[in-house]
């Protein structure tokens, strides 16, 4: 999604959100990520205003008043954290760990295949299909990608073929490279 994402070409507009819209987004984030509830006032303070950056290809990004990119979504889909936010709060998404052999492919934007999640170096947290997950790497401390599961972890283990996690945002992609939006 963010492979060829360029700040100058991709951003079509920035709008400040009304407090009622902000409240709706905060409630949706708490519903989506229950573990984040105690930290949400730090990430998105109630009294602070945040903005919505509209991009081409129906991508929306929530930006803090400091310019920090926090969450994004495609079309009217679920909100997903940016990797920078996930590195600060790594606990609120389930982890799926890939083996060392998959790292370079994930960092080039490839989807995570089932064999990369079932090999000896990989670890899977049980989740359902369509869950937003942090993709970790064997031997690394921080997440290298955010994705959505294409199959439940039970099915990934049974089938062991095809795409297991769709890679949405990864280290060094266009969203990672994007500067703070003032």
């Amino acid at each position: 999604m963010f492979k060829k994402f360029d700040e100058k070409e991709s951003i079509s507009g920035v709008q400040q959100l009304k407090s009622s819209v902000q409240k709706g987004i905060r409630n949706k984030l708490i519903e989506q990520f229950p573990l984040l509830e105690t930290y949400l006032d730090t990430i998105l303070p109630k009294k602070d205003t945040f903005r919505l950056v509209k991009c081409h290809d129906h991508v929306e990004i929530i930006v803090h008043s400091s310019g920090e990119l926090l969450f994004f979504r495609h079309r009217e889909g679920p909100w997903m954290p940016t990797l920078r936010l996930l590195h600060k709060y790594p606990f609120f998404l389930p982890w799926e760990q890939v083996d060392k052999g998959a790292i370079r492919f994930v960092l080039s934007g490839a989807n995570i295949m089932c064999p990369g999640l079932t090999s000896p170096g990989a670890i899977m947290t049980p989740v359902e299909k369509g869950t937003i997950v942090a993709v970790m790497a064997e031997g690394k401390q921080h997440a290298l990608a955010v994705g959505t599961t294409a199959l439940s972890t039970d099915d990934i283990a049974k089938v062991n073929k095809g795409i297991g996690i769709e890679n949405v945002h990864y280290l060094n992609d266009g969203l990672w490279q994007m500067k703070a939006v003032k």
Side-chain angles (χ1 to χ4, degrees):
M1 183 187 309
F2 294 107
K3 221 176 233 185
K4 294 181 179 149
F5 188 80
D6 183 58
E7 209 170 331
K8 293 172 187 76
E9 296 170 15
S10 298
I11 295 177
S12 57
V14 179
Q15 71 182 59
Q16 194 161 333
L17 296 173
K18 294 179 186 177
S19 57
S20 59
V21 176
Q22 286 182 195
K23 189 175 181 182
I25 290 172
R26 285 174 56 89
N27 290 338
K28 193 164 250 175
L29 288 171
I30 289 169
E31 179 186 313
Q32 214 176 321
F33 308 113
L35 296 173
L36 197 61
E37 187 169 6
T38 53
Y39 298 93
L40 201 58
D41 285 334
T42 311
I43 299 168
L44 294 171
K46 285 181 182 174
K47 299 286 183 202
D48 220 349
T49 55
F50 49 95
R51 297 183 304 258
L52 189 71
V53 176
K54 295 202 176 220
C55 306
H56 297 296
D57 299 327
H58 306 282
V59 174
E60 296 175 327
I61 306 169
I62 295 177
V63 179
H64 189 272
S65 58
S66 66
E68 183 184 5
L69 309 171
L70 301 172
F71 294 92
F72 67 93
R73 72 176 176 180
H74 186 249
R75 299 203 180 263
E76 292 298 314
W79 290 104
M80 297 183 208
T82 61
L83 276 169
R84 291 189 193 280
L85 181 68
L86 192 60
H87 288 176
K88 289 180 187 175
Y89 304 95
F91 53 84
F92 75 92
L93 282 184
W95 290 12
E96 303 299 337
Q97 182 176 304
V98 296
D99 61 358
K100 287 182 179 177
I103 296 172
R104 68 183 182 132
F105 298 108
V106 174
L107 292 177
S108 64
N111 289 327
I112 294 88
M113 306 307 277
C114 291
L117 292 165
T118 56
S119 66
I123 302 169
M124 284 196 295
T125 306
V127 293
E128 292 302 311
K129 178 182 177 178
T131 306
I132 299 164
V133 294
V135 180
M136 308 300 282
E138 179 183 5
K140 304 295 179 198
Q141 180 183 356
H142 294 293
L144 60 125
V146 174
T148 54
T149 53
L151 301 166
S152 69
T153 47
D154 293 339
D155 292 343
I156 289 171
K158 283 180 203 158
V159 175
N160 204 18
K161 188 189 262 183
I163 296 171
I165 300 172
E166 292 175 20
N167 192 345
V168 181
H169 168 40
Y170 55 94
L171 285 175
N172 238 1
D173 68 358
L175 185 60
W176 175 265
Q177 299 284 344
M178 194 170 161
K179 307 260 186 300
V181 178
K182 295 284 179 186

